[in-house]
């Protein structure tokens, strides 16, 4: 006789049959056929080497061994159901912690947070800002929203939301505004351009997309993070390069203009979460983000050609 635990499916079939005192009702509860339950009961009896049921007219009754196993399995499955319910409730009650850069949080997410809360009232979202140090694998973080280029890590579930679009922006306060607002893109080769150390590839990528020599670019004042770069642009300190979603509100308000429009890069704005921590809330959030970005994409291109 084997001392290993019987197959779980066989134990489930037995527990349901013993609890309901009916093979047919057990089959209905388990969403399988009558024959499937009967086969699992036979597997269990063969594994244990004892009879668990005896004929009782047209029905069945538990043997002494069956009653012992009914009590033990019933208690075990009740405990499992209770713990699983507690875990499910705990997950549902816990906030969904989303990491993203401070610039993305301040310039795109927060202006839309009220709409997200209204559309997804059951999603308890907690936002965690950082710059280059966020990792969805770390404890306490459920997902990460970022601009990145594929291929994606094998251990990540990645929801692609929208292609990244970048373009030069400047403020009407900038002393070169009148001269540049109707100039061709090549005029920027003579400008000391504002840039950020966190996205050194942004200006060269834009230049290549516009058939300009990236080596001819002149970089001026640099900033550690994109948020500071865009604040400098709004203050009229020069021409900056930015992802379109992060300057949407500034374009609408006239704080910035984008005379040369925006062009796509190989990067995507995407929602990342570890495959081992699949969460239905992430799928729900990803769909909302994609819809929100699509609506923004269909809005007029303000102050751009």
């Amino acid at each position: 006789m084997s001392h290993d635990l019987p197959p779980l499916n066989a134990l489930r079939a037995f527990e349901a049959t013993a609890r309901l005192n009916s093979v047919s009702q057990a089959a209905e509860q388990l969403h399988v056929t009558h024959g499937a339950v009967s086969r699992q009961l036979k597997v269990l009896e063969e594994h244990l080497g004892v009879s668990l049921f005896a004929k009782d007219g047209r029905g069945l009754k538990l043997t002494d061994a069956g009653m012992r196993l009914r009590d033990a399995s019933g208690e075990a499955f009740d405990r499992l159901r209770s713990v699983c319910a507690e875990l499910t409730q705990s997950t549902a009650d816990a906030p969904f912690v989303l990491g993203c850069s401070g610039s993305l949080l301040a310039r795109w997410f927060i202006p839309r947070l009220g709409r997200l809360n209204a559309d997804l009232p059951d999603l308890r979202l907690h936002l965690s800002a950082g710059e280059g140090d966020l990792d969805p694998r770390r404890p306490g973080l459920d997902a990460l929203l970022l601009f990145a280029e594929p291929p994606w890590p094998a251990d990540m579930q990645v929801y692609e939301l929208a292609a990244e679009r970048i373009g030069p922006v400047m403020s009407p306060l900038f002393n070169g505004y009148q001269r540049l607002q109707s100039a061709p893109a090549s005029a920027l080769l003579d400008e000391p351009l504002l840039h950020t150390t966190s996205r050194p590839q942004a200006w060269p990528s834009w230049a290549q997309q516009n058939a300009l020599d990236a080596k001819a670019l002149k970089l001026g004042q640099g900033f550690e993070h994109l948020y500071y770069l865009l604040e400098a642009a709004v203050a009229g300190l020069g021409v900056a390069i930015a992802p379109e979603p992060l300057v949407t509100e500034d374009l609408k308000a006239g704080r910035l203009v984008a005379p040369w429009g925006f062009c796509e890069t190989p990067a995507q704005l995407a929602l990342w979460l570890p495959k081992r921590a699949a969460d239905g809330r992430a799928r729900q959030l990803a769909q909302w983000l994609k819809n929100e970005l699509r609506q923004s994409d269909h809005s007029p291109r303000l102050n751009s050609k």
Side-chain angles (χ1 to χ4, degrees):
M1 182 175 65
S2 173
H3 294 283
D4 295 332
L5 281 174
L8 180 59
N9 282 342
L11 281 173
R12 289 182 68 226
F14 170 80
E15 187 275 337
T17 302
R19 173 167 43 84
L20 300 169
N21 197 32
S22 168
V23 173
S24 297
Q25 290 184 40
E28 182 177 350
Q29 186 177 91
L30 297 175
H31 305 290
V32 296
T33 64
H34 184 286
V37 172
S38 297
R39 286 192 294 274
Q40 290 296 338
L41 295 178
K42 184 177 180 180
V43 167
L44 183 59
E45 289 181 328
E46 290 177 350
H47 181 94
L48 297 174
V50 297
S51 295
L52 300 171
F53 294 94
K55 290 286 186 180
D56 183 23
R58 300 184 63 182
L60 295 173
K61 69 175 183 179
L62 289 165
T63 63
D64 290 342
M67 285 188 284
R68 288 181 62 191
L69 186 59
R70 175 199 60 191
D71 295 341
S73 63
E75 182 180 344
F77 275 96
D78 283 344
R79 179 59 179 154
L80 282 170
R81 292 187 189 97
S82 176
V83 170
C84 289
E86 291 173 5
L87 292 174
T88 300
Q89 187 61 43
S90 175
T91 299
D93 291 343
F96 186 84
V97 183
L98 175 67
C100 63
S101 70
S103 53
L104 184 57
L105 175 62
R107 291 186 162 271
W108 191 84
F109 216 114
I110 287 178
R112 292 161 177 78
L113 194 54
R115 190 152 59 241
L116 185 148
N117 291 333
D119 292 344
L120 303 178
D122 296 330
L123 178 66
R124 294 182 55 211
L125 188 65
H126 178 80
L127 297 166
S128 177
E131 297 290 345
D133 58 348
L134 292 172
D135 189 332
R137 302 173 184 87
R138 82 180 192 192
L141 199 62
D142 293 306
L144 182 61
L145 182 65
L146 77 164
F147 290 102
E149 292 185 20
W152 311 122
D155 62 339
M156 287 288 116
Q157 170 69 55
V158 177
Y159 295 95
E160 296 183 5
L161 305 175
E164 182 187 47
R165 290 169 53 85
I166 61 171
V169 294
M170 61 180 178
S171 167
L173 301 176
F174 176 47
N175 59 17
Y177 171 75
Q178 294 295 334
R179 172 173 49 85
L180 290 173
Q181 65 172 331
S182 58
S186 58
L188 294 182
L189 295 177
D190 297 322
E191 289 293 316
L193 303 169
L194 303 180
H195 63 100
T196 173
T197 55
S198 64
R199 295 291 300 276
Q201 78 283 5
W203 273 117
S205 177
W206 173 83
Q208 291 170 6
Q209 292 283 342
N210 285 271
L212 300 176
D213 183 4
K215 294 180 180 179
L217 293 169
K218 297 177 182 178
L219 299 183
Q221 178 71 54
F223 298 86
E224 185 177 1
H225 300 308
L226 184 58
Y227 180 81
Y228 306 138
L229 171 72
L230 295 180
E231 287 299 302
V234 170
L237 299 185
V239 182
I241 188 81
E244 185 177 17
L246 272 60
V247 293
T248 298
E249 300 304 316
D250 294 298
L251 294 174
K252 289 179 180 178
R255 292 187 293 267
L256 291 173
V257 296
W260 304 278
F262 297 87
C263 59
E264 287 191 7
T265 77
Q268 288 273 336
L269 180 59
L271 185 68
W272 294 32
L273 71 156
K275 287 183 178 179
R276 57 173 173 75
D279 192 322
R281 295 175 296 175
R283 186 164 49 252
Q284 186 182 34
L285 176 60
Q287 187 59 55
W288 186 90
L289 292 169
K290 183 175 287 189
N291 290 339
E292 189 69 22
L293 287 159
R294 187 181 298 118
Q295 290 176 15
S296 299
D297 190 54
H298 289 163
S299 63
R301 302 290 184 192
L302 299 177
N303 300 305
S304 63
K305 299 187 204 178

